[in-house]
Amino acid sequence: MTTTNPAPTFSGTDTVLNPASGEVAGEVHWTDASDVQGIATGLRAAQREWERRGAKSRAKVLSRFAIWLGDNRDEIEKLLIAETGKSSTDAAQEVPLLIMILSYVIKVMDEAMAPETRPASLPMMRIKKVAIHFRPRPVVGVIAPWNYPVANALMDAIGALAAGCAVLLKPSEQTPLTAELLSQGWKAAGGPDVFAVVQGAREVAEAVIDNSDYVQFTGSTGTGRKVAERAASRLLPYSLELGGKDPMIVCEDADIDLAAHAAVWGAMFNAGQTCVSVERVYVLDAVYDKFVAAVVRDVEALEMGSGEGKHFGSLISDAQLAIAERHVNEAVAAGARALTGGKRAAGPGAFFEPTVLVDVDHSMACMTEETFGPTLPIMKVSSVDEAIRLANDSVYGLSASVFSRDVARAKDIALQLDCGAVNVNDVISNLMCTTAPMGGWKTSGIGARFGGVDGIRKFCRQETVVAPRTNVGAGGNYYHNSLKALARMNGLMTRMALARPRRTAK
């Protein structure tokens, strides 16, 4: 039985298989890359009316879409499991996350799109009214990954639609089916023709970049570089959420059971296929043995399998499984020990046993390269300073976590870690904080998603309008004035501008 999808043709129609069972999940009709320009042109035309509706009117459409997601959650999750091999536990997270994001965006989008006034920089400029207007970019291209094909398809698209943009979505070619269902849901909720899905691989993704006014990409660092290069050739703005190798630090005063539970869930959820999953752990030597024992206990209780009653499902493909397999095999060959798992599961499907690795170090790929699989390498350290140094010894910088009963101490450690977000006594929770930006440092990305009203404004161009309060003073520097009048004006400007520096310098 074939359990992974055969090489697609990317023309006509292909069958999509469940990577856990090999059963047919559905069929996808691939988009011809030459058709993307016409689709984008249609979106661009529809976007003008969508923008003119205003934030309050758009909020009503987004509210109806949120209700549709809730009403059709079971159907969405059934298809999600079929095309990814997820467990029901994994699949159950995506629709609620989107509804949560929609609920927040609906609440703040009117504020986000309202013009913002700015004060005068100097007393002499008080004769002017300064306002910043947020004008949506016509077409936002969203290139989404396969690990969360529902959540990642829409978590950025929601902000763009709220801003008044049209969205051109290209889901991963490995998980094309749920995007089509979401598109149907948008129409069923009364959404206008400002949301379109195109299906394909590299050529279609390139066409999306070439026909968009902003690109949001989520995926690997390698592909992110290619997206940035193509976007840069058009001076096109973009935001990239890329790979991670997220560290966890467990201090000697940590709640060990809590830390172990968090590490196992953070590493194994969605079979480890999460950008902010726990990919490496540094534990102070005083509690190392106790922590490892608690982790092994928790991992041995996990049930792996697709669908109902399982903790986590299959990997997306044999290719992804091979990465986890290589990292584990190379580590063991170099002296590491696998306390659980360590190999591909018997039987059909792209399943890899949940694996706890110890006696690891930074010479091993399992500690330096993104695994994106159900593995948990744990390293003993002698001090917090060593843990911080090792945590920062990475090309990635997406997120991290610190466990200590002393929250103030944990916050201090957090501010020494080179990454976009740190969770104290928790993991992955920053992904739920839509009021705060989610972005990576170093090769983990450029820009951020979410961030309160900024998560909507990121899809806009800023337009400054400077209007007079009065005509008094207008034209003081125009050429029609005498040279003596211009000299007096420039002298006055200089004296007024220097007033604050002189006071501050004393």
Side-chain angles (χ1 to χ4, degrees):
M1 176 187 292
T2 301
T3 57
T4 57
N5 288 304
T9 62
F10 297 120
S11 64
T13 301
D14 271 326
T15 299
V16 178
L17 302 182
N18 183 329
S21 65
E23 296 176 351
V24 174
E27 289 188 339
V28 55
H29 181 76
W30 302 115
T31 306
D32 192 302
S34 63
D35 292 336
V36 174
Q37 182 178 9
I39 295 169
T41 299
L43 288 171
R44 208 174 295 278
Q47 181 273 333
R48 289 192 287 270
E49 191 276 331
W50 180 237
E51 177 183 358
R52 282 195 294 266
R53 287 192 182 195
K56 286 185 171 63
S57 178
R58 293 195 297 272
K60 292 181 180 179
V61 179
L62 291 171
S63 296
R64 293 196 298 268
F65 185 48
I67 294 168
W68 180 89
L69 287 169
D71 289 345
N72 293 272
R73 177 179 171 182
D74 290 346
E75 181 185 1
I76 296 167
E77 290 177 0
K78 181 179 178 181
L79 182 59
L80 179 61
I81 292 169
E83 75 170 341
T84 63
K86 291 176 182 274
S87 69
S88 57
T89 302
D90 294 339
Q93 306 291 318
E94 299 198 39
V95 172
L97 175 61
L98 288 182
I99 295 174
M100 182 187 74
I101 295 169
L102 277 160
S103 179
Y104 175 73
V105 166
I106 289 164
K107 181 176 70 173
V108 301
M109 58 191 285
D110 192 43
E111 172 194 351
M113 297 306 295
E116 186 178 286
T117 59
R118 297 288 172 89
S121 56
L122 294 169
M124 65 183 304
M125 288 301 295
R126 288 174 184 163
I127 59 173
K128 301 294 185 183
K129 296 178 182 178
V130 182
I132 313 301
H133 295 258
F134 301 94
R135 303 280 306 280
R137 299 181 188 276
V139 177
V140 171
V142 176
I143 303 174
W146 47 259
N147 59 332
Y148 294 99
V150 172
N152 271 318
L154 288 183
M155 63 169 58
D156 298 297
I158 288 167
L161 290 166
C165 311
V167 170
L168 181 58
L169 168 65
K170 192 208 84 69
S172 169
E173 60 273 22
Q174 297 192 75
T175 53
L177 302 179
T178 45
E180 297 288 354
L181 182 55
L182 295 174
S183 178
Q184 295 169 23
W186 174 255
K187 292 182 175 65
D193 295 330
V194 291
F195 179 56
V197 175
V198 292
Q199 302 284 11
R202 179 179 58 82
E203 290 184 353
V204 173
E206 290 173 348
V208 168
I209 297 168
D210 293 345
N211 289 281
S212 298
D213 304 294
Y214 186 100
V215 172
Q216 171 69 50
F217 172 80
T218 304
S220 71
T221 297
T223 304
R225 285 193 177 98
K226 295 175 183 177
V227 171
E229 289 169 2
R230 195 171 188 95
S233 69
R234 295 184 54 222
L235 297 181
L236 184 72
Y238 57 83
S239 180
L240 310 176
E241 203 259 78
L242 307 178
K245 191 70 180 176
D246 289 9
M248 172 191 281
I249 294 176
V250 181
C251 298
E252 76 284 351
D253 62 345
D255 180 331
I256 297 303
D257 274 339
L258 174 64
H261 296 332
V264 172
W265 182 77
M268 306 302 169
F269 178 73
N270 203 40
Q273 298 170 124
T274 304
C275 58
V276 289
S277 66
V278 177
E279 289 237 354
R280 51 197 171 113
V281 186
Y282 304 97
V283 187
L284 270 291
D285 49 10
V287 293
Y288 174 82
D289 290 339
K290 184 178 179 182
F291 176 80
V292 169
V295 165
V296 169
R297 174 202 65 203
D298 284 3
V299 169
E300 288 178 339
L302 296 179
E303 292 190 42
M304 177 175 57
S306 181
E308 293 290 336
K310 306 298 181 183
H311 289 98
F312 69 88
S314 78
L315 294 167
I316 193 64
S317 65
D318 281 338
Q320 193 61 42
L321 187 148
I323 296 172
E325 197 168 40
R326 174 174 64 82
H327 284 186
V328 171
N329 290 344
E330 288 179 357
V332 171
R337 291 181 294 134
L339 301 184
T340 67
K343 63 184 183 302
R344 178 175 187 149
F351 291 96
F352 194 81
E353 296 178 348
T355 301
V356 178
L357 290 170
V358 295
D359 300 336
V360 293
D361 59 47
H362 278 219
S363 69
M364 302 171 184
C366 69
M367 292 294 284
T368 57
E369 297 178 11
E370 187 175 38
T371 305
F372 232 54
T375 63
L376 184 58
I378 305 172
M379 185 172 176
K380 182 191 297 186
V381 294
S382 59
S383 67
V384 169
D385 286 344
E386 182 185 11
I388 294 169
R389 177 179 62 79
L390 290 169
N392 289 337
D393 181 24
S394 175
V395 298
Y396 297 107
L398 194 53
S399 67
S401 55
V402 180
F403 282 77
S404 169
R405 294 182 191 272
D406 185 340
V407 173
R409 179 194 187 197
K411 288 181 179 178
D412 179 67
I413 295 169
L415 291 173
Q416 298 177 65
L417 299 178
D418 298 336
C419 60
V422 180
N423 297 290
V424 172
N425 292 335
D426 201 355
V427 294
I428 305 182
S429 59
N430 63 291
L431 186 58
M432 310 296 177
C433 300
T434 52
T435 58
M438 179 194 173
W441 294 13
K442 298 187 274 190
T443 64
S444 286
I446 294 174
R449 60 165 49 106
F450 304 146
V453 296
D454 291 338
I456 299 172
R457 289 177 177 176
K458 68 179 277 188
F459 299 110
C460 297
R461 297 162 293 188
Q462 295 183 29
E463 182 175 356
T464 300
V465 176
V466 181
R469 295 181 185 275
T470 172
N471 285 330
V472 175
N477 276 332
Y478 292 172
Y479 288 135
H480 72 278
N481 292 297
S482 69
L483 294 178
K484 185 179 291 186
L486 290 175
R488 284 198 302 270
M489 176 63 70
N490 288 331
L492 176 63
M493 290 170 60
T494 300
R495 288 193 298 275
M496 293 178 69
L498 280 173
R500 184 171 296 277
R502 283 175 173 154
R503 289 197 302 270
T504 304
K506 291 180 180 178

